[in-house]
């Protein structure tokens, strides 16, 4: 039954008129009881009324807002903040704000949820006619637009007796609204003395919009925006979702998250990557280049749950940011460009996600592009990612005419009017769509059922028993969730983040298809469930010091508490607990299970460390053989290196301190000291990576420095087996010890790293072999030819003897000396890094690109495939040394019409001619 305003107004108004100064708590209870008493079991009633706070220390009012509360929602926050009655002028302003908020929200966006809507304005004695509520017309059927006309209500005029009163009301409005939600002009005050709402009054219109989807706007960041104070919502981990956004560069991750923040009510405008004003990309290098460099976390409320979004980089140089973020995620959204499909970095991040067993949902973005092809994109997922994509939506309209999607679960269309910029959408029944669209929808609906039923036994039983006719969307959604969580399928949605089309259903899908935080928490051993947290990132703050970003796996973290680090075996003091809203950090009292928190005060905690409550818990875990509850990220080997020198000797100490902090923040940046040249060497993942490091040294740390020319990070290899022995005699105290070692070094295939084994005659305890293996590996970090690390070497310790009980350090030193002697007489080769290069180029320029690759860059072309819109894709393996400055060269060759991406593809043995040339170039002779 659709609730009508008229059915509720009389009883509520009578009570309010009789108690015009009634306490706010009583008003809340009265209205909620009226709404709930008339709604049936399946309906959701919404209530709009003014909300305010009164400071006990002064008469100044704070945080005036319009509040929308869902039936069944928590009233405690509101009741706890009850105040006294407000002056009529302020109440009048709040009512106008309600109308403006409704106009911005467009209640039509609720239609697809089958919501029964009731709107009650509570004005404490102010006549409702002043707000012209008659202009709010509800449709007879929820199949139609719920809201017929809000335009006139949004432009509601309030007549006052004098211009002085008008100016006073304008000032009241300005004081009431918080700065974040205040429009440039709340009211125009014409000479006639009539106040007219003329611009979007966001005094909490955005929070009203967010609340329309089932949560309290006083949860999470919306509360911070109003009151300046923030506390984590006390949600159970079953209502928290940690979701990461992973994709190839320029697929639209940041644009998508910016839309989500806007629709959830956290921002009053949509950030734009090109304009450099996004919330998630807040670092100056990110805004200047229009790319994500550092992963950013932010929390937003949606559909009664909390979404913790983590936006990750898409550039190959910053792939470690993705690697270290994945272990803390419950699920991921993989974005694909509808005109490009699966791209090089898409494959890389997909492999990273699968290695961590992260369930994924795919979002095909940029459906408004003239070259968009959903079917081709889905096929590329199947072929290149090796997954089973399952379409849950179909596009309505092509290219610039793209305006919505067909929901294959509910079998209706959701349409976004272009003028609303995604803020509102409405439902269209399937029978009202064109015939060809209906036919496609039925075809893909059957395909959806078949694909899911093949992976989900429960759904298969339902289909075999009663068929698809009786199958409801909720049951199908649950089956999709189970299949997605197991990794059997990947639900595919589509939309346009730039135009704000189909973003709200994507947010719903993250909750409906991906697992909540409680699933990861349930895998924590019982002994560690008092408190367990995983540190996945560190950031230096000039005021707070090193900040540790952690995922709370179980229990809760509070300020001024002690924790025990399983990895470093040390006790740490947490001085403060913060919540990260991108670059804004705000204090919270407690971070509960499933939360992403930022800890202040940890001195010896690094990326990949596990924190527990006490040494007793750590001891119990060690007895069970648990060293880390989540697998620490693997730091990839560096690709480029260069020297760094301060502009003057006075800056040397500052440079060393800055590099120490940077390398702790980013473990993929390696800082070493070359004892032969006396220079500091930086090793990183690419040109851009080292370029950003240089900028940060100058901008953030104020260190003027110069980077030397880029060099490729070669590897040295063993060409033939070699053997050596070493003997050491040392006097330690009053005892003399003699140690003898014999080792054999054997070549392995490049890419297999270094291995250490012990012969059958060597009898050692396991703890000793671990220490000795580490000593051997350390001795191979610097090869004899050019000082690059050894690669593809197998070391066998064939004999290790000593008189008496030889100290372990002496055994280690003897082994290292034997390995060094073996390297001195060994035949050494040079390995150069290979790159998997993907170039997208117009068809008429393919010849130019291929000629350049094969003739000057020693490329091995692997594939030449057809792209979308007359473009071709060239795949080739190319030595990295030949690609220095390739971006500039490719831009010159193709007039900027081509693009490329690079991924590491291992190492290749160089021939004698190439090797000699490199040795001469580096040594200078």
């Amino acid at each position: 039954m659709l609730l009508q305003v008229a059915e509720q107004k009389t009883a509520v108004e009578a009570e309010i008129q009789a108690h015009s100064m009634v306490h706010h708590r009583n008003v809340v209870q009265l209205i909620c009881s009226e709404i709930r008493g008339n709604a049936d079991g399946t309906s959701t009633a919404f209530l709009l009324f003014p909300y305010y706070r009164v400071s006990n220390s002064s008469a100044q009012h704070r945080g005036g807002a319009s509040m929308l509360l869902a039936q069944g929602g928590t009233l405690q926050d509101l009741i706890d903040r009850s105040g006294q009655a407000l002056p009529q002028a302020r109440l009048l302003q709040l009512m106008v704000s309600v109308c403006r908020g409704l106009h911005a929200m467009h209640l039509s966006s609720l239609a697809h949820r089958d919501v029964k809507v009731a709107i009650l304005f509570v004005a404490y004695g102010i006549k409702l006619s002043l707000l012209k509520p008659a202009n709010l017309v509800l449709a007879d059927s929820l199949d139609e637009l719920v809201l017929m006309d809000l335009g006139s209500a949004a432009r509601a005029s309030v007549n006052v007796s004098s211009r002085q009163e008008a100016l006073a009301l304008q000032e009241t409005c300005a004081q009431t609204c918080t700065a974040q939600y205040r429009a440039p002009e709340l009211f125009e005050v014409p000479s006639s003395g009539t106040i007219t709402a003329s611009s979007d009054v966001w005094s909490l219109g955005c929070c009203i919009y967010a609340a329309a989807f089932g949560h309290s706007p006083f949860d999470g960041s919306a509360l911070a925006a109003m009151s300046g104070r923030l506390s984590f919502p006390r949600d159970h981990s079953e209502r928290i979702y940690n979701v990461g956004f992973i994709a190839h560069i320029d697929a639209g991750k940041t644009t998508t998250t910016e839309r989500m923040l806007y629709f959830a009510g956290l921002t009053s405008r949509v950030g734009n990557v090109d304009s450099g004003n996004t919330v998630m990309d807040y670092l100056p290098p990110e805004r200047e280049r229009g790319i994500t460099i550092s992963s950013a976390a932010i929390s937003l409320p949606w559909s009664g749950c909390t979404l913790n979004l983590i936006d990750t980089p898409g550039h190959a140089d910053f792939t470690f940011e993705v690697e270290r973020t994945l272990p803390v995620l419950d699920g991921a959204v993989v974005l694909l460009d509808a005109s490009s499909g699966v791209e090089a970095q898409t494959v890389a991040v997909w492999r990273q996600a699968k290695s961590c067993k992260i369930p994924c949902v795919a979002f095909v973005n940029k459906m408004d592009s003239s070259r968009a092809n959903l079917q081709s994109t889905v096929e590329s997922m199947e072929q290149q990612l090796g997954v089973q994509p399952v379409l849950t939506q179909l596009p309505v309209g092509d290219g610039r005419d793209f305006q919505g999607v067909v929901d294959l679960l509910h079998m209706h269309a959701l349409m976004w009017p272009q003028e609303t910029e995604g803020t509102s959408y409405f439902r269209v029944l399937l029978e009202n769509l064109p015939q060809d669209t209906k036919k496609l929808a039925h075809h893909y609906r059957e395909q959806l059922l078949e694909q899911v039923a093949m992976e989900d036994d429960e759904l298969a039983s339902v289909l075999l028993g009663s068929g698809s006719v009786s199958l409801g969307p909720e049951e199908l959604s649950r089956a999709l969730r189970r299949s997605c969580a197991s990794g059997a399928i990947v639900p595919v949605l589509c939309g346009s983040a730039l135009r704000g089309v189909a973003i709200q259903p994507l947010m719903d899908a993250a909750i409906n298809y991906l697992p909540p935080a409680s699933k990861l928490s349930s895998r924590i051993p019982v002994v560690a469930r008092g408190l367990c947290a995983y540190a996945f990132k560190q950031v230096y703050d000039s005021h707070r010091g090193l900040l540790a970003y952690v995922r709370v796996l179980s229990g809760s973290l509070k300020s001024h508490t002690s924790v025990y680090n399983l990895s470093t075996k040390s006790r740490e003091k947490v001085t403060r607990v913060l919540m990260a809203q991108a670059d804004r950090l705000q204090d919270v009292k407690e971070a509960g299970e499933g939360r992403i928190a930022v800890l202040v005060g940890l001195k010896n905690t690094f990326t990949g460390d596990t924190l527990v409550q006490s040494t007793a818990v750590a001891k119990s875990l060690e007895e069970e053989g648990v060293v880390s509850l989540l697998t620490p990220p693997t730091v990839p080997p560096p690709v480029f290196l260069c020297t760094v020198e301060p502009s003057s000797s006075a800056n040397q100490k500052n440079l060393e301190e800055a590099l120490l902090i940077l390398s702790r923040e980013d473990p993929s940046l390696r800082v070493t000291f070359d004892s032969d040249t006396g220079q500091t060497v930086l090793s990183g993942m690419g040109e851009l990576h080292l370029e950003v490091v240089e900028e940060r040294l100058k901008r953030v740390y104020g260190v003027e420095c110069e980077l030397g020319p880029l060099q490729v990070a070669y590897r040295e290899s063993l060409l033939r087996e070699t053997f050596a022995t070493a003997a050491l005699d040392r006097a330690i105290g009053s005892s003399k010890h003699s140690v003898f070692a014999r080792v054999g070094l054997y070549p392995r295939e490049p890419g297999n790293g270094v291995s250490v084994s012990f012969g059958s005659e060597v009898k050692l305890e396991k703890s000793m072999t671990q220490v000795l293996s580490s000593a051997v590996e350390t001795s191979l970090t610097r090869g004899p030819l050019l000082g690059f690390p050894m690669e593809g070497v197998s070391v066998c310790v064939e004999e290790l003897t000593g008189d008496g009980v030889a100290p372990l350090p002496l055994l280690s030193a003897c082994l290292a000396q034997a390995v060094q002697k073996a390297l001195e007489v060994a035949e050494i080769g040079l390995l150069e890094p290979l790159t998997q290069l993907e170039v997208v180029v117009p068809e008429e320029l393919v010849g130019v690109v291929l000629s350049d690759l094969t003739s000057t860059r020693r490329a091995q072309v692997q594939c030449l495939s057809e792209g979308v819109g007359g473009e071709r894709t060239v795949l080739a393996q190319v030595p990295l040394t030949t690609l220095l400055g390739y971006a500039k060269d490719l831009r010159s060759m193709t007039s900027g019409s081509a693009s490329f991406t690079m991924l590491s593809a291992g190492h290749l043995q160089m021939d004698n001619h190439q090797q000699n040339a490199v040795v001469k170039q580096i040594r200078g002779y």
Side-chain angles (χ1 to χ4, degrees), residues 158-166 191-195:
V158 182
N159 293 319
V160 292
S161 57
S162 68
R163 180 170 175 78
Q164 184 178 2
E165 254 186 273
S191 57
S192 62
T194 300
I195 299 176

Side-chain angles (χ1 to χ4, degrees), residues 185-207:
E185 285 185 308
L186 293 174
F187 290 91
E188 290 178 353
V189 184
S191 57
S192 62
T194 300
I195 299 176
T196 306
S198 62
S199 61
D200 287 341
V201 178
W202 281 100
S203 60
L204 270 180
C206 50
C207 284

